[in-house]
């Protein structure tokens, strides 16, 4: 008798790292849906780590998914290198692996979502950061799911 495979619990944190704020998103345990959680106002590196560590512990996070702001030509510019430097230190401090996602246009998409909700992007910068983090994490979840071999489960009767 074949034992059905259980879906592995997924716990990843999506990060949209900016100079002033870090948007943070989490996902449901099945790895289907990313949701914006909180926006952290940047202070010192240690304060940032402490706030993120609290979320990591609460959510049993196994992976950090960080948006990497590539330039439109696909190169890594100043901001992308800054994000990588921060992320490398964060990964070491939290003892978690990091995966990068191309985040080009996620902030723009997040702004467009706010406009569609009749909300002012200039008054909701933290919300934009959370939505951008959710878009980053959702992109990673979707890619991960599409590259996972099927469990062999058939839905046909």
């Amino acid at each position: 008798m074949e034992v059905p495979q259980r879906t592995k619990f997924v716990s990843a944190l999506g990060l949209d790292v900016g100079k002033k704020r870090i948007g943070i998103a989490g996902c449901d345990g099945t790895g289907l849906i990313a949701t914006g959680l909180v926006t952290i106002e940047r202070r010192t590196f240690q304060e940032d780590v402490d706030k993120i560590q609290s979320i990591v512990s609460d959510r049993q996070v196994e992976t950090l998914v960080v948006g990497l702001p590539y330039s439109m030509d696909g190169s890594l510019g100043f901001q992308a290198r800054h994000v990588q430097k921060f992320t490398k230190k964060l990964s070491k401090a939290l003892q978690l692996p990091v995966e990068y996602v191309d985040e080009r246009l996620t902030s723009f998409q997040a702004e467009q979502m706010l406009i569609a909700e009749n909300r002012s992007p200039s008054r909701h910068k933290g919300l934009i950061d959370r939505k951008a983090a959710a878009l980053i994490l959702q992109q990673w979840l979707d890619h991960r799911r599409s590259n996972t071999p099927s469990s062999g489960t058939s839905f046909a009767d």
Side-chain angles (χ1 to χ4, degrees):
M1 183 170 129
E2 190 177 324
V3 178
Q5 282 187 320
R6 280 193 41 187
T7 304
K8 185 184 179 313
F9 176 77
V10 177
S11 188
L13 215 56
L15 303 177
D16 179 36
V17 179
K19 292 176 189 156
K20 296 179 181 176
R21 292 175 302 277
I22 301 172
I24 300 179
C27 61
D28 66 322
T30 63
L32 290 175
I33 302 166
T35 308
L37 299 174
V38 68
T39 301
I40 293 174
E41 296 291 330
R42 303 277 308 263
R43 303 269 188 251
T44 66
F45 177 74
Q46 192 54 54
E47 286 180 82
D48 296 347
V49 169
D50 292 345
K51 289 177 183 174
I52 295 169
Q53 176 64 63
S54 173
I55 297 166
V56 164
S57 297
D58 289 349
R59 299 182 68 87
Q60 302 174 332
V61 172
E62 299 169 344
T63 305
L64 299 174
V65 179
V66 179
L68 200 55
Y70 286 90
S71 300
M72 285 312 211
D73 66 4
S75 65
L76 290 177
F78 174 79
Q79 184 61 22
R81 287 193 295 277
H82 180 73
V83 168
Q84 284 179 315
K85 183 179 175 184
F86 171 82
T87 303
K88 197 174 282 189
K89 287 172 55 180
L90 180 66
S91 171
K92 188 175 181 182
L94 299 176
Q95 299 182 342
L96 285 173
V98 172
E99 294 196 32
Y100 291 101
V101 170
D102 181 351
E103 73 152 27
R104 281 181 282 192
L105 302 177
T106 55
S107 291
F108 175 75
Q109 286 176 285
E111 280 187 35
Q112 294 304 306
M113 291 165 78
L114 277 188
I115 291 167
E117 296 168 6
N118 290 321
R119 295 167 112 173
S120 166
S122 62
R123 291 192 184 143
H124 296 91
K125 299 239 183 255
L127 183 54
I128 290 171
D129 296 330
R130 284 195 297 280
K131 284 184 179 283
L135 290 166
I136 289 163
L137 183 54
Q138 191 66 56
Q139 186 178 330
W140 181 81
L141 291 169
D142 293 347
H143 182 264
R144 184 176 179 276
R145 220 176 23 259
S146 68
N147 289 334
T148 302
S150 91
S151 64
T153 305
S154 173
F155 293 103
D157 285 338

